[in-house]
Amino acid sequence: AQSVSQHNHHVILSEAASLELGCNYSYGGTVNLFWYVQYPGQHLQLLLKYFSGDPLVKGIKGFEAEFIKSKFSFNLRKPSVQWSDTAEYFCAAYGGSQGNLIFGKGTKLSVKP
Amino acid sequence: DAMVIQNPRYQVTQFGKPVTLSCSQTLNHNVMYWYQQKSSQAPKLLFHYYDKDFNNEADTPDNFQSRRPNTSFCFLDIRSPGLGDTAMYLCATSRETGTTVTDTQYFGPGTRLTVL
């Protein structure tokens, strides 16, 4: 069965530090990948998505993610985080026979001012 | 200009007392989904509607039912809530389902349900 793994449960950074959140998926075929963000008390919002083409995807608020097929990875990056980036980040994937969006368990990011 | 609206935002019910959560959308999307998200866990798909076709996940308890009277509205009915059903319930929509560029899901703010 398809699965999505996020390596870090909780990441704590100071403002201006660089961010990389890991995401790995298990399916080997065509896969569509997403990063969603959930700010405290708010709904899930789409940060970025990859369907095909350039494996480096740019999203909102300065986030980007790189699809590396050989590593089954879709890591999220931001060169310099801000306090307002404090949120929970979910990686998700469509693919395979399931046809459902499968979420990782999420990574909570805390940015210290 | 909210696109996916859920009501109520917070709901408290008693053990065994039926509860209905509602979701509406202004996107005219074909597909509507219900997810359950427990604390510190990933959203878990309960079921979805593609137009009027209902698709239940294999491990969704029978206690959870859904209705979609029209394109815009979808309801989640919990017939006899248990303490373990305390969670955030998320509604989402997408234009299509599968692996096409129209499959991006848009989420509502969720209903936080507490079962006492």
Side-chain angles (χ1 to χ4, degrees), chain A residues 9 32 34 36 38 41-44 46 49 51 88 90 94-95 99-101 103-105 108, chain B residues 9 33 35 37 40-43 45 48 57 90 97-101 103-105 107-109:
Chain A
H9 180 62
N32 296 340
F34 304 80
Y36 282 89
Q38 191 169 29
Q42 295 190 28
H43 62 282
L44 280 164
L46 184 68
K49 59 188 177 185
F51 284 84
E88 190 151 18
F90 291 92
Y94 263 133
N100 294 331
L101 190 62
F103 283 88
K105 290 189 175 181
K108 194 167 294 189
Chain B
R9 295 292 306 275
Y33 307 80
Y35 289 85
Q37 185 182 19
S40 301
Q41 295 185 24
L45 183 65
H48 73 275
E57 292 302 295
L90 303 173
T97 186
T99 55
T100 74
V101 295
D103 296 340
T104 300
Q105 292 190 19
F107 285 82

Side-chain angles (χ1 to χ4, degrees), chain B residues 19-94:
Chain B
V19 66
T20 295
L21 310 181
S22 78
C23 176
S24 63
Q25 53 131 340
T26 60
L27 298 162
N28 204 33
H29 281 172
N30 292 325
V31 194
M32 295 186 77
Y33 307 80
W34 279 104
Y35 289 85
Q36 179 192 65
Q37 185 182 19
K38 295 188 176 179
S39 181
S40 301
Q41 295 185 24
K44 178 180 176 298
L45 183 65
L46 294 173
F47 26 59
H48 73 275
Y49 271 96
Y50 188 110
D51 290 332
K52 293 183 179 179
D53 293 333
F54 178 69
N55 298 273
N56 198 29
E57 292 302 295
D59 56 354
T60 298
D62 293 340
N63 198 23
F64 291 83
Q65 303 287 320
S66 186
R67 297 171 282 136
R68 190 179 185 186
N70 54 54
T71 301
S72 301
F73 284 87
C74 195
F75 299 98
L76 169 63
D77 300 308
I78 308 177
R79 293 191 296 190
S80 182
L83 300 179
D85 298 328
T86 291
M88 178 75 87
Y89 289 87
L90 303 173
C91 176
T93 74
S94 66

Side-chain angles (χ1 to χ4, degrees), chain A residues 74-89:
Chain A
F74 189 57
N75 291 356
L76 180 71
R77 300 195 294 247
K78 186 171 183 178
S80 176
V81 295
Q82 301 171 317
W83 177 79
S84 58
D85 293 325
T86 294
E88 190 151 18
Y89 293 80

